[in-house]
C-alpha cells in the first residue's frame, strides 16, 4: 500500500534544511506532500502562492513530491489528502517541546494521524527561515543556506 506523508510548514522561505528533511522523507514514504501553510500570524515576507511557487521550483527534480497551499487545520488537510503521517523536522530540544505539543493536539483531533520526527542534519541545525531573511536584509551571503532560485527571489523581494 502506498504511503503518503505530509510535510507542513510556513516555508518563508524553504531552506536547505527543509529540503534535507524532504529528501530523507522520500526514502521512507512513496510520496511527500509539502503543505505550505498560510501562517498569517507569522506575517510572512512572501505571499502564500509565492512560497508555493518557490518550493515547487526548488523541488522540481523530485517527482514524488507535490507542493500545495493550505489555510486551515492540518488535520483537515490530512483527511482531504488521505494521509495518516505528518513529518516534522526537529532541530533542538526547544523544537521538540513545541512539536510534541502540536503532535499531541493533532492526535486529540485525529487519533489515526501519526507524527514522525526527523532530527535535522547537523549542518542545518542552527538554520531558520527568519535568520535567512535577516542575514539577507543586512546584505549577508545566504547562498549556503537556500537554493539559488530562492536566494534570487529574496534578493528581488528585499531590493
Ligand atoms: N532545517 C532548518 N530550519 C528548519 C527546519 C530544518 N529541518 N525545520 C524547521 N525549520 C525552521 C523553519 O525555517 C522555521 O523558521 P522560522 O520560525 O524562522 O520561520 C521554524 O523552524 C519552524 O517552522 P516550520 O517548520 O515552517 O513550522 P511552523 O512552525 O512555521 O509551521 C505549522 C507550523 C504550519 C505546521 C502549524 O502551525 C500548523 O499545523 N498550522 C495549521 C493550523 C493548525 O492545524 N493548527 C493547530 C496545530 S495543533
Amino acid at each position: 500500500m502506498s504511503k503518503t506523508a505530509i510535510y507542513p510548514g510556513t516555508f518563508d522561505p524553504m531552506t536547505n534544511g527543509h529540503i534535507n528533511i524532504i529528501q530523507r522523507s522520500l526514502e521512507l514514504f512513496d510520496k511527500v506532500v509539502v503543505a505550505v501553510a498560510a501562517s498569517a500570524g507569522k506575517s510572512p515576507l512572501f505571499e502564500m502562492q509565492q512560497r508555493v511557487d518557490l518550493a515547487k521550483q526548488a523541488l522540481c527534480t523530485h517527482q514524488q513530491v507535490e507542493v500545495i497551499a493550505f489555510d486551515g487545520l492540518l488535520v483537515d488537510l490530512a483527511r482531504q489528502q488521505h494521509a495518516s503521517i505528518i513529518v516534522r523536522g526537529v532541530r533542538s530540544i526547544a523544537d521538540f517541546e513545541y512539536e510534541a505539543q502540536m503532535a499531541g493536539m493533532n492526535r486529540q483531533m485525529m487519533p489515526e494521524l501519526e507524527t514522525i520526527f526527523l532530527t535535522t542534519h547537523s549542518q542545518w541545525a542552527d538554520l531558520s527561515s527568519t535568520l535567512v531573511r535577516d542575514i539577507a536584509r543586512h546584505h549577508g551571503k545566504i547562498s549556503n543556506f537556500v537554493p539559488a532560485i530562492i536566494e534570487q527571489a529574496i534578493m528581488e523581494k528585499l531590493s
Side-chain angles (χ1 to χ4, degrees):
M1 202 178 69
S2 99
K3 279 269 175 212
T4 297
I6 297 180
Y7 180 47
T10 306
F11 304 116
D12 184 40
M14 178 163 280
T15 68
N16 290 343
H18 294 128
I19 291 172
N20 177 258
I21 296 285
I22 293 163
Q23 286 168 337
R24 287 161 53 209
S25 300
L26 288 170
E27 301 288 326
L28 302 171
F29 307 107
D30 302 300
K31 181 179 168 188
V32 174
V33 175
V34 175
V36 179
S39 297
K42 280 183 126 177
S43 302
L45 174 66
F46 291 99
E47 300 292 327
M48 185 161 66
Q49 192 53 48
Q50 285 178 299
R51 286 179 273 136
V52 168
D53 292 342
L54 288 174
K56 277 187 181 166
Q57 289 174 56
L59 297 164
C60 64
T61 56
H62 297 287
Q63 278 162 15
Q64 317 92 307
V65 173
E66 185 185 357
V67 182
I68 59 168
F70 82 109
D71 187 5
L73 283 179
L74 185 55
V75 289
D76 289 336
L77 179 78
R79 287 191 189 101
Q80 273 166 29
Q81 294 285 321
H82 305 289
S84 58
I85 299 161
I86 299 295
V87 171
R88 293 287 288 164
V90 172
R91 293 165 298 174
S92 62
I93 295 288
D95 270 2
F96 180 76
E97 286 182 5
Y98 166 65
E99 294 298 334
Q101 187 183 11
M102 273 205 300
M105 289 305 283
N106 283 330
R107 187 181 296 115
Q108 298 269 350
M109 293 185 280
M110 184 176 168
E112 65 275 29
L113 186 66
E114 201 59 76
T115 303
I116 308 266
F117 299 118
L118 296 184
T119 53
T120 298
H121 193 293
S122 56
Q123 188 179 0
W124 312 119
D126 299 319
L127 192 54
S128 80
S129 301
T130 302
L131 291 179
V132 167
R133 295 194 306 273
D134 196 42
I135 293 167
R137 250 186 216 113
H138 294 92
H139 312 290
K141 183 172 163 234
I142 56 167
S143 55
N144 290 342
F145 310 132
V146 292
I149 187 86
I150 290 179
E151 180 190 11
Q152 198 186 327
I154 295 179
M155 291 321 192
E156 279 168 19
K157 191 84 176 172
L158 296 176
S159 67

